[in-house]
């Protein structure tokens, strides 16, 4: 069994990004909008900030109170859209109740949508056009590439159908010619699907939903879940799957660090596009 080293792979990519960004006199800028006091969001945003600092991306944080007027946030995004110095814009989700998430996200100019969540980015993903792919699916696909895990003809089962993870992953796996099944909370007899998965990707937010009795021998298991219990992090997959699977992405240290590094990569891509810098 091979444990996927998300930390190691993310560190390697970060160093590559850092050395490229070091060569640019004017640095990329990532603008991050937060609303309210969600504790998990604070941790995620801080991780993003640290990673940006490391590679040399300037981090602009607009931290709004939970009762800020939606129009004020929209106005700020419109300003950032127009500002050529700003390469990428993200709105940290979830937002407090009462905000029109779609409206806010879709205000972001597509060229700066480094989280890949606008309707335009989603359309491009489906039509296989050049656009931003959401960071978690992109990180998972990078793991497959790095570990030479071939998806062609494989049964990929994804548990979780969020816009952030499950839905974009369908497109990414189809691009690699996998046969894709997506399960969710209303799926009956989940095990009958997971048992058939050559590659199982789990993103539910339910601690240890999947255990060794539910997986196929020698399958690849990608655990996206982050569940904090008594200050300790757990995935959606029970580590006892190790006895049976061929690869496992652990929690912590698997998909999480890859997600952050893909945000940096998307921000650099946006910067290069805006500044007309071609890839070598
Ligand atoms: P959402 O809450 O948006 O989606 C969860 C999905 O899981 C839903 O589609 C839901 O089904 C499904 N689900 C819930 N219960 C079950 C069940 N018993 N059986 C099968 N499916 C079920 O979460 P996200 O996609 O945003 O995140 C999922 C997890 O991944 C969370 O733990 C989150 O913290 C983590 N995460 C980790 C990231 C990382 O970088 N490592 C990045 C993003 C998320 P339904 O649609 O029917 O409600």
């Amino acid at each position: 069994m091979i444990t996927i080293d998300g930390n190691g792979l993310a560190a390697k990519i970060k160093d590559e990004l850092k050395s490229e960004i070091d060569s640019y006199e004017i640095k990329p800028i990532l603008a991050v909008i937060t609303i309210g006091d969600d504790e998990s969001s604070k941790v995620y945003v801080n991780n993003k900030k640290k990673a940006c600092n490391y590679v040399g991306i300037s981090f602009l944080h607009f931290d709004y109170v939970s009762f800020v007027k939606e129009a004020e946030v929209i106005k700020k995004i419109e300003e950032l859209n127009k500002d050529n110095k700003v390469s990428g814009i993200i709105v940290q989700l979830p937002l407090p109740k009462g905000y029109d998430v779609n409206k806010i996200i879709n205000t972001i100019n597509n060229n700066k949508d480094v989280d890949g969540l606008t309707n335009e980015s989603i359309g491009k993903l489906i039509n296989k056009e050049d656009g931003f792919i959401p960071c978690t699916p992109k990180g998972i696909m990078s793991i497959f590439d790095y570990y030479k895990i071939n998806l062609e003809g494989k049964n990929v089962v994804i548990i979780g159908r969020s816009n952030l993870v499950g839905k974009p992953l369908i497109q990414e796996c189809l691009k690699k010619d996998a046969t894709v099944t997506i399960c969710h909370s209303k799926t009956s007899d989940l095990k009958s699907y997971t048992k058939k998965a050559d590659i199982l990707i789990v993103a539910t937010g339910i601690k240890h939903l999947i255990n060794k009795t539910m997986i196929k021998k020698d399958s690849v298991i990608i655990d996206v879940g982050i569940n904090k219990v008594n200050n300790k992090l757990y995935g959606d997959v029970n580590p006892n799957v190790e006895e049976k699977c061929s690869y496992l992405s652990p929690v912590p240290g698997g998909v999480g660090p890859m997600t952050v590094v893909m945000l940096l990569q998307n921000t650099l891509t946006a910067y290069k596009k805006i500044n007309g810098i071609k890839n070598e």
Side-chain angles (χ1 to χ4, degrees), residues 87-99:
S87 324
I89 305 168
I90 64 169
V91 176
Q92 184 68 35
L93 301 178
L95 297 183
K97 282 202 178 77
Y99 291 94

Side-chain angles (χ1 to χ4, degrees), residues 144-211:
F144 291 146
D145 277 351
Y146 185 78
Y147 283 89
K148 300 197 169 34
I149 296 168
N150 183 14
L151 272 67
E152 190 183 316
K154 300 283 169 57
N155 279 336
V156 174
V157 175
I158 302 164
I159 315 183
R161 55 177 164 179
S162 69
N163 289 350
L164 216 59
V165 188
K167 282 185 199 154
L169 260 177
I170 301 174
Q171 303 304 329
E172 285 300 287
C173 294
L174 286 177
K175 269 193 220 161
K176 298 281 182 186
D177 294 325
T179 303
V180 186
T181 306
I182 188 134
C183 301
H184 45 77
S185 70
K186 305 291 186 297
T187 300
S188 56
D189 196 6
L190 188 64
K191 191 173 174 177
S192 67
Y193 295 94
T194 56
K195 275 275 195 192
K196 290 199 190 104
D198 302 307
I199 298 171
L200 179 64
I201 307 172
V202 193
T204 64
I206 298 181
K207 181 189 164 195
H208 296 181
L209 174 71
I210 301 299
N211 63 58

Side-chain angles (χ1 to χ4, degrees), residues 214-230:
M214 300 171 78
I215 68 160
K216 183 175 171 181
K217 192 165 181 322
D218 296 329
S219 54
V220 174
I221 311 288
I222 304 292
D223 189 353
V224 183
I226 301 176
N227 307 290
K228 203 170 183 184
V229 183
N230 294 333

